[in-house]
């Protein structure tokens, strides 16, 4: 691998692999085709009784068989989110032509992940705790202390480690270089991609896996988020319930999945004949600094992130395509539209802006990385995906949200946006992977 140092100047960073695992399909081709075809994976939640919940819709992955890709011994130590992450990484490495080549092994490769993971598989814990109740139904802590080792699965706490997926991915590919794990919502995986981008540009690494994963449609996650007012209660609308920037927007719908990107130093990628989806040329971050789960009225953190991403890229503010956060909450949509106007000024009116959340669901910890993948695919394919379920703009949301159908508009520049539940914001700048004019 190349050992070019950062002293030689910033290096160019390209996306050479994309691993997508969403309710729309397994692999980048399946998900992208479904997005452009206008399909939605949002349906009534299954696997548990969602009737006590305010929101009973989600985009859940069906037919997922991790055992076909993950050894049984490893599988025993992974919760569902970690399984999604490991398979997403495999899909990304294979898409880049690096799976099984050994090119990800060593100190010049890196790994950066983001997620909202906060607990392991709870089924075993519930069964074990139920065993230590008294006849009156009270917990018998003394018995728990005596018998916990036989009542609880020995790998329970290993499953619960937040960055567990980072170990298993690095172990599979021999990644021993720069690495980090970011905990949060959409901002976490966008920051992971941004940090991976900087690692390659500065010369810390030559190739990295970067992205995120999450399983927010589980009962545990849904019960935690259901009362915060960020999810739609329009269960009667089914797949049309999530309506970003529309006058009838009422909140998000969660979806599970993983989005992992392979980022590579450009000359190295071209030397091995890699396909280049797009080039990442800038990254910025910001903070609203208001009490969660609210947001600043003008999303000042997001506006700052956008300005810094564009400045980092060294390009004009004019942007052909924006993969918007588009969470479909009234406050979130209005403030995002204002942030785009504040950051891009008059150029905001000329940008094509869309959100894929009505189709994939809000992937929470993986949503930022998914937007980075969508932006790269739009640049590579020359087609911008539509914002499903957008009929009439909400007040203050008078921008081009690409309603109705995708556009074959051959964009050359893009922004991928992400916002966190507590006001964090991240923005990535991308440009077409073709040689700069």
């Amino acid at each position: 691998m190349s050992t070019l140092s950062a002293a030689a100047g910033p290096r160019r960073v390209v996306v050479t692999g994309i691993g997508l695992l969403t309710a729309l399909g397994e692999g980048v081709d399946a998900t992208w085709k479904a997005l452009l075809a206008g399909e939605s994976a949002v349906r009534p939640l299954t696997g548990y009784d969602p009737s006590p919940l305010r929101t009973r819709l989600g985009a859940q992955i069906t037919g997922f068989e991790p055992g076909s890709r993950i050894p049984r011994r490893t599988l025993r130590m992974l919760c569902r989110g970690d399984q999604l992450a490991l398979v997403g990484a495999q899909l990304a490495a294979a898409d880049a032509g690096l799976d099984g080549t050994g090119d990800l092994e060593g100190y010049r490769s890196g790994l950066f992940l983001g997620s909202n993971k906060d607990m392991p598989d709870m089924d075993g814990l519930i069964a074990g705790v139920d065993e230590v109740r008294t006849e009156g139904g009270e917990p018998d802590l003394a018995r728990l202390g005596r018998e916990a080792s036989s009542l609880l699965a020995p790998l329970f706490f290993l499953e619960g480690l937040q960055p567990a997926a980072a170990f298993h991915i690095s172990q599979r590919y021999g990644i021993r270089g720069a690495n980090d794990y970011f905990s949060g919502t959409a901002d976490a995986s966008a920051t992971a991609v941004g940090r991976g981008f900087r690692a390659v540009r500065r010369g810390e690494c030559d190739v990295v896996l970067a992205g995120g994963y999450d399983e927010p449609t589980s009962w545990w996650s849904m019960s935690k988020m259901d009362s915060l007012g960020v999810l739609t209660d329009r269960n009667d609308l089914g797949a049309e319930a999530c309506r970003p920037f529309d006058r009838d927007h009422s909140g998000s719908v969660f979806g599970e999945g993983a989005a992992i990107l392979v980022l590579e130093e450009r000359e190295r990628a071209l030397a091995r004949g890699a396909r280049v989806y797009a080039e990442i040329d800038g990254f910025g971050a910001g903070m609203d600094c208001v009490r969660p789960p609210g947001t600043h009225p003008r999303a000042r953190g997001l506006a700052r992130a956008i300005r810094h991403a564009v400045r980092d890229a060294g390009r004009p503010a004019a942007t052909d395509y924006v993969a918007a956060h588009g969470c479909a909450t009234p406050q979130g949509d209005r403030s995002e539209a204002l942030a785009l106007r504040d950051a891009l000024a008059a150029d905001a009116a000329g940008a094509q802006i869309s959100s894929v959340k009505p189709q994939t669901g809000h992937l929470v910890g993986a949503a930022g990385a998914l937007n980075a993948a969508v932006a790269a695919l739009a640049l590579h394919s020359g087609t911008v995906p539509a914002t499903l379920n957008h009929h009439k703009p909400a007040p203050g949301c008078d921008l081009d949200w690409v309603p109705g159908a995708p556009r074959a508009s051959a964009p050359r520049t893009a922004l991928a946006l992400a916002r966190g539940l507590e006001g964090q914001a991240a923005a990535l700048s991308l440009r077409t992977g073709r040689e700069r004019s």
Side-chain angles (χ1 to χ4, degrees), residues 327-346:
C327 63
T329 65
Q331 186 181 28
D333 286 354
R334 283 195 298 268
S335 60
E336 183 169 4
L338 286 170
L340 285 164
R341 288 197 175 278
D342 289 346
L344 302 180

Side-chain angles (χ1 to χ4, degrees), residues 63-150:
F64 178 52
E65 298 291 345
S68 64
R69 293 179 177 270
I70 303 174
R72 183 177 179 182
R73 183 177 180 182
T74 300
L75 201 58
R76 293 176 58 226
M77 294 185 285
L78 302 177
C79 65
R80 184 174 175 86
D82 297 327
Q83 294 170 9
L84 296 173
L86 186 50
V87 172
Q90 294 176 33
L91 292 170
D95 189 55
L98 296 176
D99 200 20
T101 66
D103 283 358
L104 287 169
E105 183 176 357
Y107 295 101
R108 299 294 301 168
S109 58
L111 177 64
F112 300 90
L113 296 175
S115 180
N116 189 44
K117 175 182 175 180
D118 57 5
M119 60 181 63
D121 184 351
M122 300 296 288
D123 294 347
L125 177 64
I126 294 172
V129 170
D130 194 53
E131 289 291 322
V132 297
R133 291 187 180 277
T134 65
E135 291 184 2
E138 298 297 321
D140 185 345
L141 297 182
R143 183 183 176 191
L144 177 63
R146 292 192 304 270
E147 303 179 16
S149 60
S150 60

Side-chain angles (χ1 to χ4, degrees), residues 312-333:
D312 192 33
R315 65 172 178 84
T319 300
D320 296 330
Y321 174 58
V322 179
H325 182 67
C327 63
T329 65
Q331 186 181 28
D333 286 354

Side-chain angles (χ1 to χ4, degrees), residues 231-313:
L231 300 179
T232 181
D233 61 356
R234 294 299 309 275
N235 300 292
D236 56 304
L237 294 177
E240 296 187 4
C242 182
R243 301 187 170 198
F245 310 106
D246 187 81
R247 65 176 179 178
D248 292 326
H249 49 187
S250 57
S252 290
V253 173
F254 281 165
E256 61 178 345
I260 310 291
L261 280 65
V262 176
L263 310 183
E264 199 167 349
E265 192 273 322
R266 181 177 180 275
E267 296 306 315
R268 176 188 186 277
L270 295 180
R272 70 176 185 87
R275 170 192 49 212
V276 172
Y277 284 107
E279 178 177 350
I280 299 181
D281 56 5
F283 172 61
M287 183 73 174
D288 277 353
C289 200
V290 297
R291 185 183 297 276
T295 182
H296 186 268
R298 302 192 75 90
R300 58 189 176 191
L302 181 61
R304 182 187 188 278
I306 294 170
R307 284 193 293 265
H308 278 258
V310 171
R311 185 181 307 163
D312 192 33

Side-chain angles (χ1 to χ4, degrees), residues 43 125 157 204-205 261 326 362 401:
R43 294 176 178 84
L125 177 64
F157 294 105
E204 296 177 66
C205 300
L261 280 65
H362 188 327
W401 306 115

Side-chain angles (χ1 to χ4, degrees), residues 142-183:
R143 183 183 176 191
L144 177 63
R146 292 192 304 270
E147 303 179 16
S149 60
S150 60
L151 292 175
L152 301 182
L155 299 178
F156 173 76
F157 294 105
L158 288 180
E159 292 175 358
L161 293 174
Q162 282 200 328
F167 163 73
H168 292 287
I169 294 172
S170 62
Q171 181 189 51
R172 179 180 178 88
Y173 293 106
I175 298 172
R176 302 195 297 277
N179 64 92
D180 212 337
Y181 172 84
F182 301 90
S183 178

